[in-house]
Amino acid sequence: MNAPAPAAVLWDMDGTIVDTEPYWMRAEAALVESFGGTWTHEAAMTLVGSALDRSARILQDFGVALPEGEIIDRLSSSVMEQVTIEVPWRPGAVELLRGFHTLGVPQALVTMSIGRMARHVAERIPFDAFGAIVSADDVTEGKPHPEAYLTAADALGVDIARSVALEDSVTGVTSAVASGAVVVGVEHLLNLDDTGAHRIWQTLAGRTPDDLAVVLAEVSAERVSA
C-alpha cells in the first residue's frame, strides 16, 4: 500500500454491504397491505437509509395500527428470514472487507437496523470482519445525526478524521460527513450528488484497500489546504 491505510473503515450495511433494500420494501408492503392499505414505491424510497423509528411512524401514517417497536420487530424479522434464504451481497463488498481484514485495519458496521439484524448479516460474512457493530439499539440519535459514526470510531479507538466511511444513502452520507469521517458514497438506489460525499463511486467491484487509502490521502490534503 503506497498511501497510509485508513485508521478504520466504517461500513453502512443495507445497500452498501448487502442489497437488502428490496427485502425491506417487500416487508413494508406486506405489512401495510395486511392493514388494508397500499404501499407505494415512492414512499418506500423515502425510507432508504432512514432510522427505523422514522420508518415505523411513516408506516403508521399508511394505516399500520401497531406500536413503533412492534413494526420495527416485524419488519426486521421479515428481512432476516429473507437474508437467511439468500444473502444479497453488493458487488465487491466482501472482497474489500476481506482486503482490510487481511491488512489488520479495524472495521466497524454502522447501521440503523436493529442489533439482531446487524449481527445476522455480520455472521454471514465468512470471516470476523468487524471490531465493532453500532446499530439502532446503540444510539439515541439515528442517521442523519453523526452519533452512530462517532460511536463506532470511539469503540474502535480511532481518529474519525483518519477513518473512511462507505455509504449508499443520502441520510447515511449526511451522517458520516457530519461525523468528520472521509466519506465515499457508493451509488445504488439513490443519486448522491450534492450530498457532501468526498468521493462518489458507482460500485465497489474491483476496488481495493489502496483505492481507499488514496482517497483518504487526497481528502486529507484538501482539508489542509482549505
Side-chain angles (χ1 to χ4, degrees), residues 3-4 162 164 182 199 212-223:
R162 296 292 303 170
V164 178
V182 173
R199 299 291 185 271
L212 280 189
V214 168
V215 170
L216 175 64
E218 291 175 347
V219 173
S220 297
E222 291 165 6
R223 287 171 166 174

Side-chain angles (χ1 to χ4, degrees), residues 29-38 59 62-66 70-71 74:
L31 187 55
V32 170
E33 289 166 8
S34 74
F35 282 86
T38 301
L59 291 173
F62 274 77
V64 178
L66 293 172
E70 188 169 346
I71 292 173
R74 288 197 186 190

Side-chain angles (χ1 to χ4, degrees), residues 2 41 52 63 82 98-99 108 110 122 125 140 156 191 200 210 215:
N2 295 322
H41 179 71
L52 284 173
Q82 295 175 77
R98 188 187 298 277
V110 186
I125 298 170
T140 302
L156 294 176
N191 184 294
I200 296 175
D210 279 320
V215 170

